Amino acid sequence: MVFQYSLIASCTKTKARAGVFSTPHGEVETPRFMPVGTVGTVKGITPAQLQSAHAQMILGNTYHLHIQPGEEIIEKAGGLHNFMGWQQPILTDSGGFQVFSLADLRQITDDGVKFRSPKDGRIINMTPENSIRIQNSLGADVIMAFDECPPATATKEEVVKAVKRTTAWLERCISAHKKPEQQALFGIVQGGIYPELRTQSAKELIEFNLPGYAIGGVSVGEKPELIHQIVQWTTPLLPTHKPRYLMGVGSYKEMVVAIASGIDLFDCVIPTRLGRHGAALVQGERINLKNAQYKEDFTPLDPECDCYTCKNFTRAYLNHLIRAREMLGYILLSLHNIYELINFTRKIRQAIINDSFVEEFGHYLN
């Protein structure tokens, strides 16, 4: 089998686990944070820099790449790996989350979603079949099923409909999928904040025996405590011999709680978004490098960090770059932030292997 999840070690006090997920473009050591490269680039960061930050798998976005440059161009280039110069694993999301966030521009039916492109105004019909066709052309190692992602404000009746559609659309995604040997199709569990609907969604998706499963519809406006409950409830419902992916989550506490529940993979736009706004993650805490207190601070961003930024530059220099609006400042902060979150999950993985996960990271679970 090309796609395989191998369990390496389990925590004796929680459901945390360390494993290896094998793909055609290499292995992903789990648990692992995955940087987001929405339009075929992790913003401001070169593939070589991503490798130096220990990135193993990155994300692309079906919706954005379909709008520009179009999947036909990427396919002519030999697929997304060749197009963006990244020869390690890639995951593409289905475009569902982006489409559903266009509340004023879209119309949902059982067939799919029609929406007006915010770029040029053309009408696009995103169906399960179209999402899979685009993702087959992009050529990522892992592709996501087209699902309905209800907002945190959705009524229970709306969430019931979303769960029903998500299962029906998954069946159509499977039928449309032309490259199952080269691309692993993951299903996405929906169900909002309702345990019984999460259970229903998970059970229906597991019947399809997919290579992996994701938990979607969290981090869409709920309080953190509610996210924790959803993840703690849903994760154990998913098969133990396949990778489990929590979509759109990337803070220290949320990742630790999820890993303790048995989650393997995470993604979030936080590291580069913070970097572009002159902020850094230092051991999980945000600091704003625009602040005057750093003008004469000649210490590294984080003395304990081994990233290129921390080994070569001071907070004073970063403060200067950000205040001068120099591109390098945003790049250096983004690079550090990516390294920070990946390294955090690498340390957790080692702690699980050493069976010291609770001793080292248990304070996040309180």
Side-chain angles (χ1 to χ4, degrees):
M1 279 180 66
V2 177
F3 297 98
Q4 192 165 352
Y5 173 81
S6 308
L7 183 69
I8 303 298
S10 299
C11 171
T12 53
K13 294 171 185 167
T14 68
K15 295 183 175 74
R17 61 202 205 147
V20 175
F21 176 43
S22 302
T23 81
H25 284 87
E27 294 182 338
V28 184
E29 296 172 339
T30 64
R32 198 72 165 207
F33 177 81
M34 304 180 290
V36 177
T38 307
V39 291
T41 168
V42 176
K43 288 190 190 300
I45 305 297
T46 68
Q49 288 171 319
L50 281 173
Q51 285 185 313
S52 76
H54 306 292
Q56 290 184 330
M57 189 177 213
I58 63 172
L59 269 70
N61 182 268
T62 296
Y63 161 80
H64 289 289
L65 290 168
H66 171 62
I67 287 177
Q68 185 188 321
E71 63 277 7
E72 301 85 1
I73 287 173
I74 294 172
E75 191 168 31
K76 282 179 186 172
L80 190 55
H81 292 89
N82 285 350
F83 191 57
M84 66 182 289
W86 173 259
Q87 295 304 328
Q88 288 175 250
I90 297 177
L91 180 153
T92 45
D93 68 10
S94 68
F97 179 79
Q98 284 70 28
V99 169
F100 289 105
S101 67
L102 298 170
D104 301 331
L105 302 170
R106 56 146 168 87
Q107 177 192 3
I108 309 171
T109 66
D110 287 341
D111 183 53
V113 187
K114 279 186 181 167
F115 64 97
R116 191 175 292 281
S117 165
K119 195 167 188 76
D120 56 16
R122 68 193 158 110
I123 298 293
I124 295 174
N125 188 24
M126 189 65 86
T127 61
E129 291 80 8
N130 272 339
S131 174
I132 296 300
R133 178 189 58 74
I134 295 164
Q135 292 187 83
N136 281 165
S137 296
L138 296 175
D141 302 87
V142 174
I143 65 176
M144 302 304 296
F146 191 65
D147 62 323
E148 181 172 348
C149 180
T153 53
T155 63
K156 187 169 184 180
E157 189 182 1
E158 287 169 331
V159 179
V160 167
K161 278 186 183 172
V163 168
K164 188 178 175 185
R165 275 202 185 113
T166 293
T167 302
W169 287 355
L170 173 60
E171 202 159 0
R172 288 165 58 189
C173 286
I174 292 167
S175 298
H177 187 17
K178 298 285 190 284
K179 301 178 179 178
E181 296 302 313
Q182 296 127 285
Q183 297 178 288
L185 174 63
F186 281 23
I188 304 172
V189 178
Q190 290 293 347
I193 59 172
Y194 305 100
E196 69 277 17
L197 294 180
R198 288 280 174 183
T199 302
Q200 178 193 331
S201 183
K203 284 182 175 173
E204 288 175 0
L205 267 55
I206 289 165
E207 290 294 313
F208 292 101
N209 191 28
L210 299 166
Y213 294 89
I215 298 176
V218 298
S219 211
V220 290
E222 320 88 340
K223 291 180 178 174
E225 298 75 28
L226 211 46
I227 295 174
H228 300 163
Q229 288 171 14
I230 294 165
V231 172
Q232 288 165 337
W233 178 270
T234 310
T235 309
L237 303 172
L238 302 175
T240 55
H241 61 292
K242 294 181 178 181
R244 300 151 163 177
Y245 163 33
L246 180 60
M247 305 179 79
V249 168
S251 70
Y252 271 29
K253 183 175 176 67
E254 270 60 54
M255 288 198 292
V256 173
V257 169
I259 288 167
S261 305
I263 290 288
D264 306 301
L265 297 167
F266 303 88
D267 79 283
C268 192
V269 296
I270 281 177
T272 50
R273 181 175 286 168
L274 284 180
R276 293 196 307 280
H277 289 89
L281 284 168
V282 177
Q283 298 186 25
E285 300 297 320
R286 296 182 189 191
I287 68 169
N288 187 349
L289 270 298
K290 291 177 190 169
N291 290 349
Q293 73 191 82
Y294 302 116
K295 283 177 87 169
E296 296 186 33
D297 185 342
F298 301 108
T299 62
L301 194 50
D302 180 357
E304 295 178 28
C305 180
D306 287 330
C307 80
Y308 174 77
T309 303
C310 291
K311 286 203 293 192
N312 291 282
F313 306 102
T314 64
R315 293 179 175 196
Y317 181 61
L318 293 167
N319 171 270
H320 156 66
L321 291 177
I322 298 304
R323 288 164 73 93
R325 297 186 177 177
E326 279 293 335
M327 195 184 298
L328 180 60
Y330 307 121
I331 291 170
L332 292 175
L333 290 180
S334 296
L335 182 58
H336 162 79
N337 291 342
I338 289 168
Y339 185 97
E340 166 105 1
L341 288 181
I342 293 173
N343 208 40
F344 184 66
T345 53
R346 290 173 73 220
K347 286 176 183 172
I348 290 176
R349 185 176 195 272
Q350 193 55 51
I352 295 167
I353 291 168
N354 298 341
D355 202 15
S356 58
F357 171 65
V358 172
E359 287 74 14
E360 292 184 49
F361 297 96
H363 55 286
Y364 290 104
L365 300 172
N366 297 331

